[in-house]
Amino acid sequence: MLTGIWDWHQHLMIYKATLLLRERDRDGDREKRIMEAQLSIKKALLVLNCILLSIGNCGGPMIMRLYFIRGGKRIWLSSWLETGGWPIMLIPLFISYLHRRTTHEDSKTKLFFMKPPLFIASATVGILTGLDDYLYAYGIAKLPVSTSSLIIATQLAFTAGFAFLLVRQKFTSYSINAIVLLSVGAAVLALHTSSDRPDGESNKEYLLGFFLTLAAAVLYGFILPLVELTYKKAKQTISYTLVMEFQLVMCLFATAFCTVGMTVNKDFKAIPREARQYELGEARYYLILVWSAIIWQCFFLGAIGVIFCASSLFSGIIIAVLLPVTEVLAVIFFHEKFQAEKGVALALSFWGFVSYFYGELKQSKKNIQNQSQSRTPTPESEMSQIVDP
């Protein structure tokens, strides 16, 4: 009789263990589906931000150069336009707020998520961005698009260095290969920069534009990892809504910095006079200013969005990859010369991008396999833990 009771007890424990294992399997499948959905959303956001960054990185220098070659002379105004379109960000933020109210049905839904420490950090980044805007605008005013884009390409090396120092960026053989290829592509373009010097420009102005553009590359190479560090050190969960709030505050303070420069330089008073004298006409003058502000917003949102979805190094690589594309656009619209070196640089840039993307894809698959293996217990171990007294 005791033997029968013990057998019955054993069968009961095995049955309970089986039910528990099935329940854990269902929970595991549910967690896996949630992770896959989150990963899909993040990939979609990464694609969206890469598109925004591409539009801003190619269109921004083109429309800024158009302003200068057709009679524009206000450098502080151009730097102001790089972040002056910040009110545009209020539209997606307001839509996000309405969505949260509808979804959560909570009258106490927060309008903004940003806490004071992150606000101070974004304001600091904004002031640095304002300084970078002026350095870059000065370079665009004095240098051809091909030359300024070449100098900006060196930003990738500075981004990689600062990413290693600030966020302990880990480098793989694929990422190192991509950095080398993109840097070589930039160096190839340097072979014919002397022939791109604008007519009538003094040697002093050209050199000043060159070094200020290089300073802009160094500074923005520091800003990208700084944003990534801010995300990591923030004492709150970073969502894409919070990324847009970061963009809003950053551009607001950058615009305030440039507004001071415009006021001191009396640019606000000069705008109507410059519009009347503009080669393309007054209406097109203001149209260029408006579209410049919009396109540059695409650049900054795309840059910090890519950092949120991937890393500052990947954001720097996207910017470097688009260098030859900007070169081709300059040839098409501004009739700049397209030497063979630019074609080689284009091929090297895309080769570097493919190398980096392939390496990241392999690393991502490896991480997912390691996580699944570490989280999946064997049935024997589970059964022994439940049945054994």
Side-chain angles (χ1 to χ4, degrees):
M1 183 176 177
L2 291 174
T3 304
I5 293 174
W6 175 251
D7 291 341
W8 176 83
H9 175 72
Q10 287 287 88
H11 284 299
L12 179 62
M13 294 299 294
I14 293 173
Y15 176 71
K16 287 183 177 180
T18 304
L19 291 178
L20 184 58
L21 285 174
R22 289 177 180 175
E23 182 67 25
R24 289 187 178 182
D25 287 342
R26 285 195 294 269
D27 292 341
D29 291 340
R30 190 182 303 113
E31 182 181 353
K32 185 178 180 181
R33 287 195 298 270
I34 292 173
M35 289 180 63
E36 288 176 351
Q38 290 176 343
L39 186 61
S40 298
I41 292 173
K42 202 159 190 178
K43 285 181 178 178
L45 281 175
L46 179 59
V47 172
L48 173 62
N49 283 282
C50 285
I51 293 172
L52 290 174
L53 181 56
S54 300
I55 293 172
N57 195 67
C58 295
M62 295 293 294
I63 199 166
M64 183 181 287
R65 185 60 182 167
L66 176 64
Y67 163 79
F68 284 115
I69 64 176
R70 295 298 182 179
K73 294 181 173 58
R74 319 308 298 187
I75 296 176
W76 276 111
L77 171 61
S78 296
S79 60
W80 187 93
L81 290 171
E82 291 184 55
T83 53
W86 62 266
I88 297 172
M89 297 306 304
L90 293 173
I91 299 174
L93 284 172
F94 184 66
I95 293 173
S96 176
Y97 170 73
L98 293 179
H99 175 72
R100 294 197 303 273
R101 282 189 62 111
T102 304
T103 305
H104 299 119
E105 297 181 355
D106 187 0
S107 58
K108 296 182 180 180
T109 302
K110 289 184 178 180
L111 183 60
F112 289 101
F113 288 116
M114 186 174 287
K115 294 180 180 178
L118 190 58
F119 178 86
I120 294 172
S122 59
T124 304
V125 173
I127 294 172
L128 291 175
T129 302
L131 175 60
D132 184 75
D133 289 345
Y134 176 77
L135 297 174
Y136 181 75
Y138 193 97
I140 288 290
K142 303 299 180 182
L143 304 175
V145 173
S146 56
T147 306
S148 61
S149 297
L150 160 68
I151 300 169
I152 291 297
T154 61
Q155 173 187 305
L156 177 61
F158 299 118
T159 300
F162 285 122
F164 176 77
L165 294 174
L166 295 180
V167 296
R168 297 296 185 265
Q169 174 71 48
K170 294 181 179 179
F171 296 96
T172 64
S173 58
Y174 296 100
S175 61
I176 293 174
N177 183 53
I179 293 171
V180 171
L181 287 171
L182 291 167
S183 300
V184 170
V188 168
L189 284 176
L191 297 176
H192 279 76
T193 52
S194 58
S195 61
D196 288 338
R197 182 176 302 183
D199 296 331
E201 186 170 294
S202 67
N203 187 54
K204 181 180 179 181
E205 289 179 332
Y206 183 86
L207 290 176
L208 184 59
F210 182 93
F211 286 112
L212 289 184
T213 306
L214 182 61
V218 175
L219 182 56
Y220 203 68
F222 171 72
I223 289 173
L224 290 177
L226 183 62
V227 172
E228 184 176 359
L229 180 65
T230 302
Y231 289 165
K232 291 185 175 182
K233 296 294 183 180
K235 296 179 180 179
Q236 60 182 120
T237 303
I238 302 295
S239 63
Y240 194 70
T241 300
L242 196 56
V243 170
M244 291 191 291
E245 291 179 10
F246 190 97
Q247 159 87 359
L248 178 71
V249 175
M250 180 189 77
C251 288
L252 174 62
F253 277 85
T255 305
F257 177 89
C258 295
T259 300
V260 174
M262 285 186 66
T263 304
V264 173
N265 202 46
K266 299 180 181 180
D267 280 8
F268 289 106
K269 295 180 180 179
I271 289 175
R273 182 178 67 254
E274 188 175 72
R276 290 191 298 268
Q277 299 172 353
Y278 199 64
E279 290 182 17
L280 299 179
E282 188 172 356
R284 290 182 179 179
Y285 174 85
Y286 289 111
L287 191 63
I288 288 173
L289 298 190
V290 171
W291 275 106
S292 181
I294 294 172
I295 291 174
W296 280 115
Q297 280 301 299
C298 292
F299 171 81
F300 284 108
L301 180 58
I304 66 173
V306 170
I307 294 173
F308 167 72
C309 298
S311 66
S312 58
L313 179 61
F314 186 62
S315 184
I317 283 178
I318 293 293
I319 293 172
V321 164
L322 294 170
L323 160 67
V325 179
T326 307
E327 296 273 352
V328 172
L329 292 174
V331 170
I332 295 172
F333 293 102
F334 298 148
H335 306 293
E336 295 184 3
K337 295 179 181 180
F338 188 85
Q339 297 98 341
E341 289 78 9
K342 294 181 180 180
V344 173
L346 182 64
L348 289 173
S349 294
F350 281 112
W351 183 10
F353 175 74
V354 170
S355 174
Y356 179 84
F357 186 78
Y358 178 73
E360 288 297 304
L361 192 62
K362 284 190 65 176
Q363 187 65 35
S364 178
K365 288 182 178 180
K366 185 177 179 181
N367 292 339
I368 292 173
Q369 289 176 356
N370 292 337
Q371 289 176 2
S372 62
Q373 289 175 0
S374 62
R375 290 183 179 182
T376 304
T378 61
E380 292 79 3
S381 63
E382 287 283 353
M383 191 70 73
S384 63
Q385 291 176 2
I386 297 172
V387 175
D388 291 343

